[in-house]
Amino acid sequence: MSERAMQEPTLLLLTALADEPRHGYAIAREVEKISGGRVKMRTGTLYGALERLLGQGLIEVHEEEIVDSRLRRTYTLTSAGRAGLAAEAERIAATAREAARRLGVAGVPGVSGAQGVSRVVGGAASA
């Protein structure tokens, strides 16, 4: 995995597969859920991205079955995909911690997470 930040679709797809194998439609629904409804992957985009991730060795086909006369593939993370996702999660967390620190959110009693950031952005954080 490179040192570059993952693109959001890659991050969302890998996150959708982090806890269990899923088939395409389930992945698309999970991506929508993870993103709070902000990202809705179209079928062509989804399967193109899955093929790219297969080629990069970040995911693999877990199972193939015939459902209603159609082939359904279930995908899962590879060890490389899991390691890449873990590294990206740590990179994002470190950046968020630094942003919170610079905003004065970190260490302020009673101010944490998104609520604290909203309070700081809306005005000075109060102790």
Side-chain angles (χ1 to χ4, degrees), residues 80-119:
R82 191 165 292 284
L85 179 59
E88 184 67 3
E90 179 51 39
R91 186 194 68 75
I92 291 168
T95 301
R97 284 190 301 272
E98 182 60 16
R101 185 190 70 75
R102 289 178 183 221
L103 287 168
V105 174
V108 177
V111 179
S112 64
Q115 175 190 8
V117 172
S118 296
R119 288 174 58 187

PDB file of all heavy atoms in Angstrom, residues 80-119:
ATOM      1  N   ALA A  80      -3.763  -7.889   3.014  1.00  0.00           N
ATOM      2  CA  ALA A  80      -3.243  -6.598   2.542  1.00  0.00           C
ATOM      3  C   ALA A  80      -4.317  -5.513   2.626  1.00  0.00           C
ATOM      4  O   ALA A  80      -4.039  -4.365   2.988  1.00  0.00           O
ATOM      5  CB  ALA A  80      -2.728  -6.710   1.110  1.00  0.00           C
ATOM      6  N   GLY A  81      -5.558  -5.865   2.302  1.00  0.00           N
ATOM      7  CA  GLY A  81      -6.667  -4.916   2.397  1.00  0.00           C
ATOM      8  C   GLY A  81      -6.932  -4.515   3.836  1.00  0.00           C
ATOM      9  O   GLY A  81      -7.170  -3.343   4.145  1.00  0.00           O
ATOM     10  N   ARG A  82      -6.872  -5.490   4.731  1.00  0.00           N
ATOM     11  CA  ARG A  82      -7.079  -5.220   6.157  1.00  0.00           C
ATOM     12  C   ARG A  82      -5.966  -4.306   6.689  1.00  0.00           C
ATOM     13  O   ARG A  82      -6.231  -3.347   7.414  1.00  0.00           O
ATOM     14  CB  ARG A  82      -7.122  -6.539   6.922  1.00  0.00           C
ATOM     15  CG  ARG A  82      -7.579  -6.423   8.344  1.00  0.00           C
ATOM     16  CD  ARG A  82      -7.936  -7.780   8.927  1.00  0.00           C
ATOM     17  NE  ARG A  82      -9.128  -8.361   8.313  1.00  0.00           N
ATOM     18  CZ  ARG A  82     -10.368  -7.964   8.578  1.00  0.00           C
ATOM     19  NH1 ARG A  82     -10.594  -7.026   9.449  1.00  0.00           N
ATOM     20  NH2 ARG A  82     -11.399  -8.528   7.980  1.00  0.00           N
ATOM     21  N   ALA A  83      -4.725  -4.591   6.310  1.00  0.00           N
ATOM     22  CA  ALA A  83      -3.585  -3.767   6.754  1.00  0.00           C
ATOM     23  C   ALA A  83      -3.680  -2.349   6.184  1.00  0.00           C
ATOM     24  O   ALA A  83      -3.426  -1.373   6.887  1.00  0.00           O
ATOM     25  CB  ALA A  83      -2.270  -4.419   6.342  1.00  0.00           C
ATOM     26  N   GLY A  84      -4.064  -2.251   4.923  1.00  0.00           N
ATOM     27  CA  GLY A  84      -4.213  -0.938   4.305  1.00  0.00           C
ATOM     28  C   GLY A  84      -5.303  -0.113   4.954  1.00  0.00           C
ATOM     29  O   GLY A  84      -5.140   1.091   5.197  1.00  0.00           O
ATOM     30  N   LEU A  85      -6.430  -0.758   5.252  1.00  0.00           N
ATOM     31  CA  LEU A  85      -7.537  -0.065   5.909  1.00  0.00           C
ATOM     32  C   LEU A  85      -7.136   0.366   7.314  1.00  0.00           C
ATOM     33  O   LEU A  85      -7.438   1.493   7.730  1.00  0.00           O
ATOM     34  CB  LEU A  85      -8.779  -0.954   5.949  1.00  0.00           C
ATOM     35  CG  LEU A  85     -10.008  -0.362   6.636  1.00  0.00           C
ATOM     36  CD1 LEU A  85     -10.452   0.941   5.961  1.00  0.00           C
ATOM     37  CD2 LEU A  85     -11.146  -1.387   6.634  1.00  0.00           C
ATOM     38  N   ALA A  86      -6.448  -0.499   8.037  1.00  0.00           N
ATOM     39  CA  ALA A  86      -6.005  -0.153   9.394  1.00  0.00           C
ATOM     40  C   ALA A  86      -5.041   1.034   9.359  1.00  0.00           C
ATOM     41  O   ALA A  86      -5.154   1.954  10.184  1.00  0.00           O
ATOM     42  CB  ALA A  86      -5.337  -1.356  10.059  1.00  0.00           C
ATOM     43  N   ALA A  87      -4.131   1.046   8.400  1.00  0.00           N
ATOM     44  CA  ALA A  87      -3.183   2.160   8.282  1.00  0.00           C
ATOM     45  C   ALA A  87      -3.913   3.458   7.935  1.00  0.00           C
ATOM     46  O   ALA A  87      -3.607   4.519   8.487  1.00  0.00           O
ATOM     47  CB  ALA A  87      -2.132   1.842   7.217  1.00  0.00           C
ATOM     48  N   GLU A  88      -4.895   3.372   7.052  1.00  0.00           N
ATOM     49  CA  GLU A  88      -5.661   4.568   6.681  1.00  0.00           C
ATOM     50  C   GLU A  88      -6.493   5.068   7.854  1.00  0.00           C
ATOM     51  O   GLU A  88      -6.591   6.276   8.087  1.00  0.00           O
ATOM     52  CB  GLU A  88      -6.559   4.272   5.474  1.00  0.00           C
ATOM     53  CG  GLU A  88      -7.319   5.468   4.963  1.00  0.00           C
ATOM     54  CD  GLU A  88      -6.453   6.558   4.350  1.00  0.00           C
ATOM     55  OE1 GLU A  88      -5.217   6.386   4.244  1.00  0.00           O
ATOM     56  OE2 GLU A  88      -7.014   7.598   3.961  1.00  0.00           O
ATOM     57  N   ALA A  89      -7.091   4.158   8.604  1.00  0.00           N
ATOM     58  CA  ALA A  89      -7.873   4.554   9.783  1.00  0.00           C
ATOM     59  C   ALA A  89      -6.980   5.274  10.785  1.00  0.00           C
ATOM     60  O   ALA A  89      -7.388   6.291  11.373  1.00  0.00           O
ATOM     61  CB  ALA A  89      -8.534   3.332  10.421  1.00  0.00           C
ATOM     62  N   GLU A  90      -5.764   4.788  10.988  1.00  0.00           N
ATOM     63  CA  GLU A  90      -4.835   5.444  11.915  1.00  0.00           C
ATOM     64  C   GLU A  90      -4.411   6.817  11.388  1.00  0.00           C
ATOM     65  O   GLU A  90      -4.334   7.775  12.145  1.00  0.00           O
ATOM     66  CB  GLU A  90      -3.606   4.567  12.169  1.00  0.00           C
ATOM     67  CG  GLU A  90      -2.590   5.198  13.092  1.00  0.00           C
ATOM     68  CD  GLU A  90      -3.152   5.719  14.416  1.00  0.00           C
ATOM     69  OE1 GLU A  90      -4.035   5.071  15.006  1.00  0.00           O
ATOM     70  OE2 GLU A  90      -2.705   6.807  14.865  1.00  0.00           O
ATOM     71  N   ARG A  91      -4.175   6.917  10.068  1.00  0.00           N
ATOM     72  CA  ARG A  91      -3.800   8.207   9.470  1.00  0.00           C
ATOM     73  C   ARG A  91      -4.910   9.228   9.668  1.00  0.00           C
ATOM     74  O   ARG A  91      -4.670  10.368  10.089  1.00  0.00           O
ATOM     75  CB  ARG A  91      -3.495   8.029   7.981  1.00  0.00           C
ATOM     76  CG  ARG A  91      -2.944   9.305   7.313  1.00  0.00           C
ATOM     77  CD  ARG A  91      -2.979   9.200   5.799  1.00  0.00           C
ATOM     78  NE  ARG A  91      -4.329   9.185   5.277  1.00  0.00           N
ATOM     79  CZ  ARG A  91      -5.126  10.255   5.199  1.00  0.00           C
ATOM     80  NH1 ARG A  91      -4.717  11.432   5.631  1.00  0.00           N
ATOM     81  NH2 ARG A  91      -6.343  10.150   4.717  1.00  0.00           N
ATOM     82  N   ILE A  92      -6.148   8.810   9.426  1.00  0.00           N
ATOM     83  CA  ILE A  92      -7.295   9.711   9.591  1.00  0.00           C
ATOM     84  C   ILE A  92      -7.460  10.101  11.055  1.00  0.00           C
ATOM     85  O   ILE A  92      -7.704  11.266  11.376  1.00  0.00           O
ATOM     86  CB  ILE A  92      -8.579   9.055   9.041  1.00  0.00           C
ATOM     87  CG1 ILE A  92      -8.493   8.939   7.527  1.00  0.00           C
ATOM     88  CG2 ILE A  92      -9.819   9.829   9.459  1.00  0.00           C
ATOM     89  CD1 ILE A  92      -9.573   8.047   6.921  1.00  0.00           C
ATOM     90  N   ALA A  93      -7.333   9.129  11.951  1.00  0.00           N
ATOM     91  CA  ALA A  93      -7.475   9.407  13.387  1.00  0.00           C
ATOM     92  C   ALA A  93      -6.398  10.380  13.862  1.00  0.00           C
ATOM     93  O   ALA A  93      -6.696  11.304  14.634  1.00  0.00           O
ATOM     94  CB  ALA A  93      -7.414   8.110  14.183  1.00  0.00           C
ATOM     95  N   ALA A  94      -5.164  10.212  13.394  1.00  0.00           N
ATOM     96  CA  ALA A  94      -4.078  11.111  13.792  1.00  0.00           C
ATOM     97  C   ALA A  94      -4.352  12.532  13.287  1.00  0.00           C
ATOM     98  O   ALA A  94      -4.143  13.516  14.012  1.00  0.00           O
ATOM     99  CB  ALA A  94      -2.744  10.601  13.254  1.00  0.00           C
ATOM    100  N   THR A  95      -4.842  12.640  12.068  1.00  0.00           N
ATOM    101  CA  THR A  95      -5.173  13.956  11.510  1.00  0.00           C
ATOM    102  C   THR A  95      -6.314  14.599  12.293  1.00  0.00           C
ATOM    103  O   THR A  95      -6.264  15.795  12.612  1.00  0.00           O
ATOM    104  CB  THR A  95      -5.544  13.834  10.021  1.00  0.00           C
ATOM    105  OG1 THR A  95      -4.439  13.259   9.316  1.00  0.00           O
ATOM    106  CG2 THR A  95      -5.880  15.186   9.414  1.00  0.00           C
ATOM    107  N   ALA A  96      -7.335  13.808  12.632  1.00  0.00           N
ATOM    108  CA  ALA A  96      -8.471  14.331  13.404  1.00  0.00           C
ATOM    109  C   ALA A  96      -8.020  14.782  14.793  1.00  0.00           C
ATOM    110  O   ALA A  96      -8.466  15.832  15.283  1.00  0.00           O
ATOM    111  CB  ALA A  96      -9.568  13.278  13.509  1.00  0.00           C
ATOM    112  N   ARG A  97      -7.132  14.002  15.421  1.00  0.00           N
ATOM    113  CA  ARG A  97      -6.625  14.397  16.746  1.00  0.00           C
ATOM    114  C   ARG A  97      -5.872  15.724  16.658  1.00  0.00           C
ATOM    115  O   ARG A  97      -6.040  16.601  17.511  1.00  0.00           O
ATOM    116  CB  ARG A  97      -5.699  13.315  17.319  1.00  0.00           C
ATOM    117  CG  ARG A  97      -6.418  12.101  17.863  1.00  0.00           C
ATOM    118  CD  ARG A  97      -5.483  11.178  18.641  1.00  0.00           C
ATOM    119  NE  ARG A  97      -4.368  10.681  17.849  1.00  0.00           N
ATOM    120  CZ  ARG A  97      -4.406   9.569  17.109  1.00  0.00           C
ATOM    121  NH1 ARG A  97      -5.503   8.838  17.070  1.00  0.00           N
ATOM    122  NH2 ARG A  97      -3.343   9.183  16.435  1.00  0.00           N
ATOM    123  N   GLU A  98      -5.072  15.875  15.618  1.00  0.00           N
ATOM    124  CA  GLU A  98      -4.311  17.117  15.466  1.00  0.00           C
ATOM    125  C   GLU A  98      -5.242  18.295  15.181  1.00  0.00           C
ATOM    126  O   GLU A  98      -5.052  19.391  15.714  1.00  0.00           O
ATOM    127  CB  GLU A  98      -3.257  16.976  14.363  1.00  0.00           C
ATOM    128  CG  GLU A  98      -2.395  18.197  14.160  1.00  0.00           C
ATOM    129  CD  GLU A  98      -1.585  18.631  15.380  1.00  0.00           C
ATOM    130  OE1 GLU A  98      -1.431  17.843  16.340  1.00  0.00           O
ATOM    131  OE2 GLU A  98      -1.102  19.786  15.379  1.00  0.00           O
ATOM    132  N   ALA A  99      -6.248  18.065  14.354  1.00  0.00           N
ATOM    133  CA  ALA A  99      -7.215  19.135  14.068  1.00  0.00           C
ATOM    134  C   ALA A  99      -7.922  19.557  15.348  1.00  0.00           C
ATOM    135  O   ALA A  99      -8.064  20.758  15.631  1.00  0.00           O
ATOM    136  CB  ALA A  99      -8.230  18.667  13.023  1.00  0.00           C
ATOM    137  N   ALA A 100      -8.360  18.577  16.147  1.00  0.00           N
ATOM    138  CA  ALA A 100      -9.039  18.878  17.410  1.00  0.00           C
ATOM    139  C   ALA A 100      -8.106  19.632  18.349  1.00  0.00           C
ATOM    140  O   ALA A 100      -8.519  20.594  19.005  1.00  0.00           O
ATOM    141  CB  ALA A 100      -9.540  17.590  18.057  1.00  0.00           C
ATOM    142  N   ARG A 101      -6.841  19.205  18.397  1.00  0.00           N
ATOM    143  CA  ARG A 101      -5.881  19.880  19.262  1.00  0.00           C
ATOM    144  C   ARG A 101      -5.713  21.347  18.845  1.00  0.00           C
ATOM    145  O   ARG A 101      -5.757  22.247  19.679  1.00  0.00           O
ATOM    146  CB  ARG A 101      -4.520  19.170  19.205  1.00  0.00           C
ATOM    147  CG  ARG A 101      -3.487  19.751  20.192  1.00  0.00           C
ATOM    148  CD  ARG A 101      -2.097  19.194  19.956  1.00  0.00           C
ATOM    149  NE  ARG A 101      -1.480  19.662  18.727  1.00  0.00           N
ATOM    150  CZ  ARG A 101      -0.962  20.889  18.552  1.00  0.00           C
ATOM    151  NH1 ARG A 101      -0.995  21.768  19.533  1.00  0.00           N
ATOM    152  NH2 ARG A 101      -0.414  21.231  17.414  1.00  0.00           N
ATOM    153  N   ARG A 102      -5.583  21.553  17.555  1.00  0.00           N
ATOM    154  CA  ARG A 102      -5.381  22.916  17.066  1.00  0.00           C
ATOM    155  C   ARG A 102      -6.621  23.779  17.232  1.00  0.00           C
ATOM    156  O   ARG A 102      -6.521  24.995  17.374  1.00  0.00           O
ATOM    157  CB  ARG A 102      -4.944  22.896  15.606  1.00  0.00           C
ATOM    158  CG  ARG A 102      -3.529  22.373  15.458  1.00  0.00           C
ATOM    159  CD  ARG A 102      -3.108  22.304  14.021  1.00  0.00           C
ATOM    160  NE  ARG A 102      -1.781  21.735  13.919  1.00  0.00           N
ATOM    161  CZ  ARG A 102      -0.849  22.188  13.091  1.00  0.00           C
ATOM    162  NH1 ARG A 102      -1.104  23.198  12.279  1.00  0.00           N
ATOM    163  NH2 ARG A 102       0.335  21.620  13.053  1.00  0.00           N
ATOM    164  N   LEU A 103      -7.775  23.175  17.225  1.00  0.00           N
ATOM    165  CA  LEU A 103      -9.014  23.911  17.458  1.00  0.00           C
ATOM    166  C   LEU A 103      -9.250  24.169  18.938  1.00  0.00           C
ATOM    167  O   LEU A 103     -10.166  24.889  19.308  1.00  0.00           O
ATOM    168  CB  LEU A 103     -10.209  23.126  16.889  1.00  0.00           C
ATOM    169  CG  LEU A 103     -10.331  23.118  15.372  1.00  0.00           C
ATOM    170  CD1 LEU A 103     -11.359  22.080  14.937  1.00  0.00           C
ATOM    171  CD2 LEU A 103     -10.703  24.494  14.850  1.00  0.00           C
ATOM    172  N   GLY A 104      -8.438  23.540  19.769  1.00  0.00           N
ATOM    173  CA  GLY A 104      -8.592  23.716  21.201  1.00  0.00           C
ATOM    174  C   GLY A 104      -9.620  22.794  21.807  1.00  0.00           C
ATOM    175  O   GLY A 104     -10.068  23.022  22.920  1.00  0.00           O
ATOM    176  N   VAL A 105     -10.009  21.750  21.075  1.00  0.00           N
ATOM    177  CA  VAL A 105     -11.018  20.818  21.556  1.00  0.00           C
ATOM    178  C   VAL A 105     -10.398  19.791  22.484  1.00  0.00           C
ATOM    179  O   VAL A 105     -10.966  19.457  23.510  1.00  0.00           O
ATOM    180  CB  VAL A 105     -11.733  20.120  20.372  1.00  0.00           C
ATOM    181  CG1 VAL A 105     -12.681  19.060  20.874  1.00  0.00           C
ATOM    182  CG2 VAL A 105     -12.466  21.142  19.532  1.00  0.00           C
ATOM    183  N   ALA A 106      -9.240  19.282  22.141  1.00  0.00           N
ATOM    184  CA  ALA A 106      -8.601  18.237  22.946  1.00  0.00           C
ATOM    185  C   ALA A 106      -8.280  18.765  24.335  1.00  0.00           C
ATOM    186  O   ALA A 106      -7.757  19.857  24.502  1.00  0.00           O
ATOM    187  CB  ALA A 106      -7.322  17.748  22.259  1.00  0.00           C
ATOM    188  N   GLY A 107      -8.648  18.001  25.319  1.00  0.00           N
ATOM    189  CA  GLY A 107      -8.326  18.365  26.694  1.00  0.00           C
ATOM    190  C   GLY A 107      -9.262  19.377  27.325  1.00  0.00           C
ATOM    191  O   GLY A 107      -9.092  19.746  28.477  1.00  0.00           O
ATOM    192  N   VAL A 108     -10.253  19.849  26.596  1.00  0.00           N
ATOM    193  CA  VAL A 108     -11.210  20.794  27.163  1.00  0.00           C
ATOM    194  C   VAL A 108     -12.299  19.991  27.859  1.00  0.00           C
ATOM    195  O   VAL A 108     -12.987  19.205  27.214  1.00  0.00           O
ATOM    196  CB  VAL A 108     -11.824  21.705  26.074  1.00  0.00           C
ATOM    197  CG1 VAL A 108     -12.872  22.620  26.670  1.00  0.00           C
ATOM    198  CG2 VAL A 108     -10.739  22.510  25.379  1.00  0.00           C
ATOM    199  N   PRO A 109     -12.454  20.120  29.169  1.00  0.00           N
ATOM    200  CA  PRO A 109     -13.470  19.339  29.888  1.00  0.00           C
ATOM    201  C   PRO A 109     -14.855  19.550  29.297  1.00  0.00           C
ATOM    202  O   PRO A 109     -15.254  20.674  29.000  1.00  0.00           O
ATOM    203  CB  PRO A 109     -13.399  19.881  31.323  1.00  0.00           C
ATOM    204  CG  PRO A 109     -12.049  20.517  31.432  1.00  0.00           C
ATOM    205  CD  PRO A 109     -11.723  21.018  30.058  1.00  0.00           C
ATOM    206  N   GLY A 110     -15.571  18.437  29.092  1.00  0.00           N
ATOM    207  CA  GLY A 110     -16.941  18.507  28.603  1.00  0.00           C
ATOM    208  C   GLY A 110     -17.075  18.752  27.114  1.00  0.00           C
ATOM    209  O   GLY A 110     -18.165  18.880  26.603  1.00  0.00           O
ATOM    210  N   VAL A 111     -15.947  18.817  26.398  1.00  0.00           N
ATOM    211  CA  VAL A 111     -15.989  19.052  24.959  1.00  0.00           C
ATOM    212  C   VAL A 111     -15.247  17.913  24.289  1.00  0.00           C
ATOM    213  O   VAL A 111     -14.075  17.724  24.518  1.00  0.00           O
ATOM    214  CB  VAL A 111     -15.330  20.396  24.575  1.00  0.00           C
ATOM    215  CG1 VAL A 111     -15.370  20.601  23.079  1.00  0.00           C
ATOM    216  CG2 VAL A 111     -16.014  21.542  25.286  1.00  0.00           C
ATOM    217  N   SER A 112     -15.976  17.136  23.469  1.00  0.00           N
ATOM    218  CA  SER A 112     -15.315  16.036  22.775  1.00  0.00           C
ATOM    219  C   SER A 112     -15.995  15.782  21.450  1.00  0.00           C
ATOM    220  O   SER A 112     -17.131  16.174  21.230  1.00  0.00           O
ATOM    221  CB  SER A 112     -15.361  14.766  23.627  1.00  0.00           C
ATOM    222  OG  SER A 112     -16.700  14.373  23.799  1.00  0.00           O
ATOM    223  N   GLY A 113     -15.265  15.097  20.559  1.00  0.00           N
ATOM    224  CA  GLY A 113     -15.814  14.634  19.288  1.00  0.00           C
ATOM    225  C   GLY A 113     -16.411  15.729  18.433  1.00  0.00           C
ATOM    226  O   GLY A 113     -16.027  16.889  18.500  1.00  0.00           O
ATOM    227  N   ALA A 114     -17.390  15.342  17.611  1.00  0.00           N
ATOM    228  CA  ALA A 114     -18.015  16.270  16.670  1.00  0.00           C
ATOM    229  C   ALA A 114     -18.718  17.410  17.389  1.00  0.00           C
ATOM    230  O   ALA A 114     -18.722  18.538  16.927  1.00  0.00           O
ATOM    231  CB  ALA A 114     -19.009  15.521  15.776  1.00  0.00           C
ATOM    232  N   GLN A 115     -19.306  17.129  18.558  1.00  0.00           N
ATOM    233  CA  GLN A 115     -19.988  18.173  19.319  1.00  0.00           C
ATOM    234  C   GLN A 115     -18.985  19.261  19.683  1.00  0.00           C
ATOM    235  O   GLN A 115     -19.264  20.445  19.547  1.00  0.00           O
ATOM    236  CB  GLN A 115     -20.605  17.580  20.576  1.00  0.00           C
ATOM    237  CG  GLN A 115     -21.227  18.641  21.478  1.00  0.00           C
ATOM    238  CD  GLN A 115     -21.630  18.078  22.838  1.00  0.00           C
ATOM    239  OE1 GLN A 115     -21.330  16.945  23.165  1.00  0.00           O
ATOM    240  NE2 GLN A 115     -22.299  18.881  23.615  1.00  0.00           N
ATOM    241  N   GLY A 116     -17.819  18.840  20.148  1.00  0.00           N
ATOM    242  CA  GLY A 116     -16.788  19.803  20.525  1.00  0.00           C
ATOM    243  C   GLY A 116     -16.300  20.610  19.349  1.00  0.00           C
ATOM    244  O   GLY A 116     -16.118  21.816  19.436  1.00  0.00           O
ATOM    245  N   VAL A 117     -16.112  19.950  18.200  1.00  0.00           N
ATOM    246  CA  VAL A 117     -15.663  20.660  17.000  1.00  0.00           C
ATOM    247  C   VAL A 117     -16.730  21.665  16.583  1.00  0.00           C
ATOM    248  O   VAL A 117     -16.428  22.808  16.264  1.00  0.00           O
ATOM    249  CB  VAL A 117     -15.348  19.675  15.849  1.00  0.00           C
ATOM    250  CG1 VAL A 117     -15.075  20.417  14.574  1.00  0.00           C
ATOM    251  CG2 VAL A 117     -14.135  18.807  16.223  1.00  0.00           C
ATOM    252  N   SER A 118     -18.006  21.277  16.634  1.00  0.00           N
ATOM    253  CA  SER A 118     -19.089  22.216  16.287  1.00  0.00           C
ATOM    254  C   SER A 118     -19.090  23.421  17.202  1.00  0.00           C
ATOM    255  O   SER A 118     -19.282  24.547  16.770  1.00  0.00           O
ATOM    256  CB  SER A 118     -20.451  21.523  16.369  1.00  0.00           C
ATOM    257  OG  SER A 118     -20.530  20.497  15.427  1.00  0.00           O
ATOM    258  N   ARG A 119     -18.853  23.178  18.486  1.00  0.00           N
ATOM    259  CA  ARG A 119     -18.824  24.285  19.433  1.00  0.00           C
ATOM    260  C   ARG A 119     -17.656  25.212  19.149  1.00  0.00           C
ATOM    261  O   ARG A 119     -17.784  26.419  19.272  1.00  0.00           O
ATOM    262  CB  ARG A 119     -18.754  23.756  20.863  1.00  0.00           C
ATOM    263  CG  ARG A 119     -20.090  23.133  21.296  1.00  0.00           C
ATOM    264  CD  ARG A 119     -20.033  22.486  22.631  1.00  0.00           C
ATOM    265  NE  ARG A 119     -19.634  23.387  23.702  1.00  0.00           N
ATOM    266  CZ  ARG A 119     -19.395  22.977  24.930  1.00  0.00           C
ATOM    267  NH1 ARG A 119     -19.502  21.699  25.236  1.00  0.00           N
ATOM    268  NH2 ARG A 119     -19.055  23.830  25.859  1.00  0.00           N
TER     269      ARG A 119
END
